[in-house]
Amino acid sequence: MKRDDRFTHLLETKMVELTSAFSAHFDADLTLGHITAAAVDLVEGIDYADVMLIENGSYRSVAPTAQVVTDLDHAQMRLQEGPCLEAATFDSIVRAPDLRQDQRWPDFAAAALENGIHSVLSFQLYTHRTGTGALNLLGKRPHALDIQSEATLAMLATHAAISLIAARKEVQFESALASRDVIGQAKGIIMERFKLDATRAFALITKLSQDANIPVRIIAQQIVDSLAAAETNGERHVKDDR
């Protein structure tokens, strides 16, 4: 089997694995772990990989293939410079083929070279009002990537971006379901207590929300909590009477 044929077969195998992981019970961190491992396995010249997520001012290194990647993420956040940080916050792709000759991030370059890292390639995965993310790929050798290698890594970065977007959508969906459930409970409480139909009960919750300038879901939760508190107090009174 020729080298190109072997690479194609390996690429197809890895993509099947990634697709299977994505279509099964979804776990974003696990999927990202498959992606960073695939980057190291598939692409000669990539020795380490991770995903840097920055949310609400804090960061975490997700699915690192080695401790050195997490350490260099930490260095970038501490120094507030580096290709991974730049990709996550500004540019879609940041290339640093030889850190010995790169003047953009002198302090980070020194830290990377001290750890044996000579090249970095980072892909921005997403930007959101509360956070950003980047797939970071580190190599021990300078100028180790060709066009085919970068195309393969870009495909993996796309898969990582889709995984993160899906994870965010899943959280939003679950939150929406939870809010709807609480609002339904609150409507039921008001319907029972004030003998209203569902439409008028919801209108009352909405009016309370508008008057207090508080989201409907929070007003609904307060109504549900007040019933729970009243039932607890009632049980205490019954016990005291006994």
Side-chain angles (χ1 to χ4, degrees), residues 54 132 197 204 217:
I54 305 172
T132 59
D197 60 25
L204 178 57
R217 68 181 185 279

Side-chain angles (χ1 to χ4, degrees), residues 8-224:
T8 300
H9 176 70
L10 181 58
L11 178 59
E12 290 174 350
T13 301
K14 290 294 182 183
M15 291 309 297
V16 168
E17 290 176 359
L18 291 173
T19 304
S20 298
F22 187 75
S23 60
H25 177 65
F26 186 65
D27 183 319
D29 286 7
L30 181 61
T31 301
L32 294 176
H34 288 308
I35 291 169
T36 55
V40 175
D41 290 343
L42 285 172
V43 180
E44 185 177 353
I46 296 301
D47 297 290
Y48 311 109
D50 87 330
V51 172
M52 175 194 280
L53 297 181
I54 305 172
E55 296 180 336
N56 298 316
S58 61
Y59 85 98
R60 64 187 181 109
S61 172
V62 180
T65 60
Q67 182 61 39
V68 64
V69 199
T70 301
D71 293 342
L72 290 177
D73 280 353
H74 177 72
Q76 289 183 78
M77 295 302 295
R78 175 173 52 82
L79 297 167
Q80 284 299 291
E81 67 169 47
C84 311
L85 182 59
E86 188 165 313
T89 53
F90 296 110
D91 294 329
S92 57
I93 303 176
V94 176
R95 300 174 179 86
D98 190 347
L99 289 170
R100 296 172 302 180
Q101 301 173 359
D102 203 311
Q103 303 300 314
R104 287 174 290 179
W105 322 284
D107 292 332
F108 167 76
L113 291 169
E114 186 177 344
N115 283 276
I117 304 302
H118 286 77
S119 60
V120 179
L121 177 63
S122 294
F123 292 89
Q124 185 180 93
L125 299 181
Y126 73 100
T127 57
H128 188 266
R129 64 179 180 274
T130 61
T132 59
L135 173 65
N136 307 306
L137 308 145
L138 286 62
K140 296 178 181 178
R141 295 185 292 113
H143 302 287
L145 301 178
D146 57 19
I147 294 175
Q148 179 178 318
S149 298
E150 188 166 319
T152 300
L153 295 168
M155 181 173 59
L156 291 174
T158 299
H159 196 92
I162 292 171
S163 299
L164 288 170
I165 291 169
R168 183 176 294 277
K169 292 293 184 184
E170 185 175 24
V171 169
Q172 290 173 343
F173 179 68
E174 290 175 352
S175 177
L177 285 179
S179 295
R180 189 178 69 176
D181 184 53
V182 170
I183 291 170
Q185 292 179 50
K187 277 179 24 179
I189 292 168
I190 290 175
M191 289 169 65
E192 181 180 355
R193 287 197 175 181
F194 298 101
K195 309 305 179 185
L196 299 176
D197 60 25
T199 301
R200 291 184 177 181
F202 184 70
L204 178 57
I205 295 173
T206 303
K207 183 67 166 57
L208 290 170
S209 169
Q210 293 172 345
D211 290 347
N213 195 26
I214 296 174
V216 168
R217 68 181 185 279
I218 295 178
I219 289 291
Q221 187 64 61
Q222 290 174 347
I223 292 170
V224 172

